[in-house]
Amino acid sequence: MAETHFSPEEIEERKKAIFDAMGKRGQRQITKMGYDKWDPFQEPKDPIDIRKDKTKRTSQQLIREFLTAIDADEYSNSYAQGALEMCLGIINEEEKIRGMFDFGQWYTRLLEEEGHDPL
């Protein structure tokens, strides 16, 4: 979003100055998408690696905590990869991962209720 303490004319001057300072390739990309639609003052989107879950942890923090809580001899690379995919899916609120998570919890309860050892 453009800064509000500048007049529309000042904003347009700054926008043109940024455009003129860009390389030819960057200018072509802006022209292709439409100079009028381009907002060089908008806030950047959060990179995926700094997204946090409800506990305010990043995916890297969560997976590190999880894997250090388990004996390294007890899991494979495939296991760690699955845990990471689950972690990223939970943080990104993916429906597929939510279904997997809910099923895992339900199945654990079912095993306990029927007197079986959990996985």
Side-chain angles (χ1 to χ4, degrees):
M1 188 76 39
E3 299 172 28
T4 56
H5 61 278
F6 292 103
S7 71
E9 294 79 21
E10 290 171 318
I11 291 170
E12 187 55 40
E13 282 178 33
R14 292 180 74 208
K15 181 177 177 177
K16 183 170 178 3
I18 292 169
F19 182 81
D20 291 344
M22 296 174 83
K24 297 274 186 221
R25 186 175 179 189
Q27 287 179 346
R28 276 195 304 270
Q29 288 178 328
I30 301 301
T31 304
K32 192 177 192 178
M33 86 165 167
Y35 179 85
D36 293 339
K37 295 178 187 173
W38 176 56
D39 182 2
F41 311 111
Q42 68 188 11
E43 291 293 320
K45 295 179 180 170
D46 286 338
I48 197 159
D49 61 319
I50 62 169
R51 289 187 186 165
K52 296 184 178 182
D53 74 332
K54 293 175 183 177
T55 68
K56 306 292 187 232
R57 289 176 176 89
T58 64
S59 59
Q60 287 182 337
Q61 290 170 319
L62 286 168
I63 202 68
R64 189 178 312 117
E65 283 183 44
F66 175 72
L67 293 176
T68 56
I70 300 169
D71 184 359
D73 295 332
E74 304 245 344
Y75 67 86
S76 65
N77 285 339
S78 181
Y79 179 94
Q81 182 62 38
L84 177 60
E85 287 177 32
M86 189 76 143
C87 176
L88 291 172
I90 288 170
I91 288 180
N92 293 323
E93 300 177 1
E94 295 175 15
E95 283 293 309
K96 176 183 174 182
I97 299 300
R98 181 62 192 224
M100 293 165 61
F101 178 79
D102 289 346
F103 178 83
Q105 290 185 313
W106 173 84
Y107 189 66
T108 299
R109 285 191 306 272
L110 178 67
L111 290 173
E112 289 170 352
E113 288 170 7
E114 294 187 0
H116 301 286
D117 289 330
L119 299 176

